[in-house]
Amino acid sequence: MSSTESDPHRAVIPGRDAGEHRPADWYELFFDLVFVVVIAVSAEVLEHGPTPGTVAGFVLLFFPLWWAWVNLMVTNNLYGRRYAPIGMLVVAAMPGPAAMAVAVAGGISGNAWLYALGAVWIRLVLLLMWMTATVRGAIRVPLWRTLGYNVGTAALWLGSIAVPAPYRYWMWALAVLAEMLLLVLRAGFAYEVYEQVSIPHLLERIGLFVVIVIGEAVYLGVTGLIEHPSGGGAAAAFSGFVACAFLARAFFHWGVPTAAAGLGDARLAQSYGVMRDVVMYLPFLVVTALSFVSAAVGIAVEHAQDPLDLESRALLAMGVGGYYLSNALIALRLGRPWRRVLLVLGLGIALPLVACLLSWALPAWCTLALVALALGAIDGANALLSRRWYGR
């Protein structure tokens, strides 16, 4: 997924990307509709007030939702095609993230109980998915791990309802950290997941999530222009579209081929920690950064004729810079040449930041236009570096 280092023409070595090559199932795409709403709600919260507190709250509340999505995605990757009930359970999980999104939209302070119940629902569905595979004799993972990962953490989420703020939030963090710790303790678990997953399917699913987030930026640009029609609004919407196109190209043209080869290499080397980080942890930073960009596009279109305020400008710069930073971390985790990674990272942070600073007194549409030009320059630099690195 790294857009900071790749060779899209790199030959695929047999066995490097071992795993079933299969498209996403219909019920996975149906399940993703819930996350269309999740991203829309999240972008709206950021768009209405991108203060440091709002941004921090978004990140903290968004991670459990991402964590639920990626856990369901990996479980279905392993067992969805083998056991029909798994697919139905993916659909059955939909009320969980829906409840969590409603809680975020309504204000977490008054709806914490709904957020926690949504998390409990997801973990109980995950428990049924893993127990289905256990009963069929497909799992060698110790039962205590399955119960601890799902029942134990579900109990923490459920118990948090009776605990006042801010202590309930610490219980939420403990529940998520407990699951992450169980992934680090890989005994009896490595073969079950890392040796059997379909890498192409994982990358396709993560790519579809990225499309959802980028699509929210396009949606906000179009709806913002409908609500606030003007020449500046049209310029802002178009510039936002161009910026999103360059970000999408960076992900799918440069990043995905590198990730496919890199994950295959990691599996052959039994570097299971690399696979875990690149699939489950680091993509969260990618989608979070793109969520910042989406919200900033919406703000810029709505206030196209006025200069962006400091908070919105910072949100845009953090979004684009954070996107390249997260991709750089993925590239380095996959063992890519650090010199090229850091060069593209430097451009990815510096050029959009300079564009935001130089347009300080200019209308918002000018800021987006300059950021789009910066992204075009980064894409060109990436292409030149690719030819220099690989002679193509």
Side-chain angles (χ1 to χ4, degrees), residues 263-284:
L263 288 172
D265 289 341
R267 176 151 60 188
L268 288 177
Q270 296 186 338
S271 300
Y272 301 130
V274 172
M275 298 182 69
R276 177 200 62 219
D277 297 347
V278 170
V279 170
M280 302 190 74
Y281 298 159
L282 294 175
F284 170 73

Side-chain angles (χ1 to χ4, degrees), residues 1-4 6 8-9 210-211 214 241-258 290 323-324 327 340 375-384 386-387:
M1 281 158 289
S2 164
S3 63
T4 55
S6 65
H9 307 288
V210 168
V211 168
I214 294 178
F241 175 80
V242 172
C244 289
F246 279 122
L247 292 173
R249 170 177 161 81
F251 184 87
F252 291 103
H253 181 74
W254 302 110
V256 171
T258 295
L290 290 174
Y323 172 81
Y324 282 97
N327 278 284
R340 181 184 170 185
L375 290 172
I378 296 168
D379 183 80
N382 218 359
L384 289 174
S386 181
R387 285 197 291 269

Side-chain angles (χ1 to χ4, degrees), residues 211-230:
V211 168
I212 291 174
V213 184
I214 294 178
E216 182 61 25
V218 176
Y219 172 80
L220 290 176
V222 173
T223 56
L225 182 59
I226 292 173
E227 295 174 3
H228 307 278
S230 66

Side-chain angles (χ1 to χ4, degrees), residues 327-364:
N327 278 284
L329 293 175
I330 292 173
L332 293 173
R333 194 72 177 99
L334 290 171
R336 298 307 175 229
W338 63 269
R339 289 184 179 85
R340 181 184 170 185
V341 171
L342 295 183
L343 177 58
V344 178
L345 172 61
L347 293 174
I349 292 178
L351 293 185
L353 179 61
V354 169
C356 289
L357 292 175
L358 289 180
S359 60
W360 183 264
L362 298 177

